[in-house]
Amino acid sequence: MRIHTVTFNPAIDHTITLDRLIPGEVHRARAVRRNAGGKGVNVASCLADWGADVVVHGLLGSDNAAPFDALFAAKGIEDRFIRVAGSTRVNLKLVDDAGTTDINLDGMAVDEALVAKVVSQLNVAVRSGDLVALSGSLPPGCPYDVYAAMVAQLRERGCRVLLDTSGLPLKHALDAPVLPHVIKPNRSELAAWTGQAAMDRAGLLAVAADLCRRGVELVVISMGEEGALFVSAQGAVRAHLALAGVASTVGAGDAMVAGLAAGLADGLPLERLARLATAFAVGKLGMAGPNLPELGAVRALAQEVSLSAMTMA
């Protein structure tokens, strides 16, 4: 099985570490780092560290593609990004002891012809049985229902589809007649889809169970420090691994998607899948950029994950 990731709105992540972020004040940076990023790129990078056969698709600005070229070459990732005139957006991440402040730009404007070119190229590249991860926001000009349409096409071709997005793209995908095999919203993204301001665990479990009845095979809901819920026809579990001394959670969600993809590729049952995905997310937190620690460390973390069975209504 090959794993394909799709990123319509990649980014170069410019991370600045500060002693303390004080709005309106002048700061001196403690450290500065630039990484090729965007959700699907981060997923692919972590999968490559795991040793997976991974292909990247999407749209990249040709003017500043060098960080992406270097990442893909260094990790042996097959690059099928389409280069377009202009520059890929640069997102700013300000990190201090209180956490991470993200300043994300919209990205390059695209048109439907470019989007169709990515979709067409992906449909040619995939084979029945491949896993496709559709990740992230959409740039200006990209139709909000593009993921919904791609899910239907990919499922018809015999692919498994993992979706990680939010807002209108998520709404279109979950309101469509053909649903993804796997989704990974966070708590606030799922609540927004339901039209609620906030949801407790019981509410999250009820929504996840309903999505499973409608045809989603696995719903994974990340809940920050509370861990994540994993819900499927096999049941529901909460996976949790305590964090200590973590200044930045940048990329943890993308690493969890990578862990899900790796576990799905290996056919893991629910509890082992939950352990692996959580280990990917926690392992990433100690690393700079979209990288995993060495594989033995990830496997050790998976054994430390605490699992709790959850009761669904």
Side-chain angles (χ1 to χ4, degrees), residues 20 42-43 60 79 108 118 137 139 164 170 185 194-195 206 220 229 236 269 292 296:
R20 183 183 176 197
N42 296 338
V43 170
L60 275 180
D79 176 13
M108 298 182 300
V118 173
S137 62
D164 179 23
L170 178 63
T194 66
V220 180
L229 296 175
L292 291 182

Side-chain angles (χ1 to χ4, degrees), residues 221-242:
I221 308 165
S222 52
M223 303 184 298
E225 294 182 356
E226 295 181 52
L229 296 175
F230 293 74
V231 183
S232 77
Q234 299 175 40
V237 298
R238 181 176 78 97
H240 182 261
L241 183 57

Side-chain angles (χ1 to χ4, degrees), residues 28-49:
R28 183 175 296 277
R30 228 170 49 204
V32 179
R33 189 177 69 250
R34 289 169 68 91
N35 295 103
K39 295 184 76 65
V41 173
N42 296 338
V43 170
S45 182
C46 291
L47 282 167
D49 288 343

Side-chain angles (χ1 to χ4, degrees), residues 12-296:
I12 295 174
D13 291 329
H14 192 163
T15 303
I16 300 175
T17 303
L18 308 168
D19 289 321
R20 183 183 176 197
L21 177 62
I22 305 174
E25 295 292 327
V26 175
H27 299 78
R28 183 175 296 277
R30 228 170 49 204
V32 179
R33 189 177 69 250
R34 289 169 68 91
N35 295 103
K39 295 184 76 65
V41 173
N42 296 338
V43 170
S45 182
C46 291
L47 282 167
D49 288 343
W50 188 249
D53 182 7
V54 61
V55 188
V56 288
H57 304 259
L59 297 168
L60 275 180
S62 57
D63 292 353
N64 59 349
F68 297 91
D69 297 336
L71 175 69
F72 301 151
K75 294 201 175 187
I77 297 169
E78 185 175 332
D79 176 13
R80 297 204 180 190
F81 266 99
I82 296 170
R83 270 62 172 177
V84 298
S87 297
T88 296
R89 63 183 175 146
V90 177
N91 287 340
L92 185 62
K93 300 180 182 297
L94 305 176
V95 179
D96 69 356
D97 290 341
T100 301
T101 300
D102 289 294
I103 303 173
N104 292 341
L105 303 184
D106 279 341
M108 298 182 300
V110 302
D111 58 31
E112 293 195 20
L114 275 175
V115 174
K117 190 173 181 180
V118 173
V119 173
S120 177
Q121 177 180 273
L122 176 68
N123 285 334
V124 170
V126 297
R127 299 290 181 268
S128 179
D130 283 354
L131 175 65
V132 182
L134 307 175
S135 298
S137 62
L138 300 175
C142 189
Y144 288 122
D145 64 352
V146 65
Y147 286 146
M150 292 175 74
V151 168
Q153 293 171 15
L154 290 165
R155 290 196 64 145
E156 187 175 0
R157 297 181 71 84
C159 297
R160 295 175 63 78
V161 186
L162 193 168
L163 177 67
D164 179 23
T165 190
S166 60
L168 286 173
L170 178 63
K171 174 176 171 53
H172 280 283
L174 295 186
D175 290 348
V178 180
L179 299 179
H181 293 87
V182 183
I183 61 170
K184 196 219 71 68
N186 62 35
R187 170 184 248 148
S188 60
E189 290 166 349
L190 194 63
W193 174 66
T194 66
Q196 301 183 48
M199 299 179 70
D200 60 14
R201 283 189 206 165
L204 294 172
L205 284 167
V207 171
D210 183 63
L211 285 166
C212 289
R213 284 190 288 269
R214 289 181 52 210
V216 180
E217 293 181 3
L218 174 65
V219 178
V220 180
I221 308 165
S222 52
M223 303 184 298
E225 294 182 356
E226 295 181 52
L229 296 175
F230 293 74
V231 183
S232 77
Q234 299 175 40
V237 298
R238 181 176 78 97
H240 182 261
L241 183 57
L243 311 179
V246 174
S248 172
T249 58
V250 172
D254 300 334
M256 177 168 278
V257 172
L260 288 170
L264 291 166
D266 287 342
L268 298 184
L270 182 65
E271 292 192 356
R272 289 182 60 193
L273 182 64
R275 288 185 182 277
L276 184 65
T278 303
F280 266 56
V282 174
K284 158 67 191 77
L285 296 180
M287 306 296 293
N291 304 299
L292 291 182
E294 59 92 14
L295 303 192

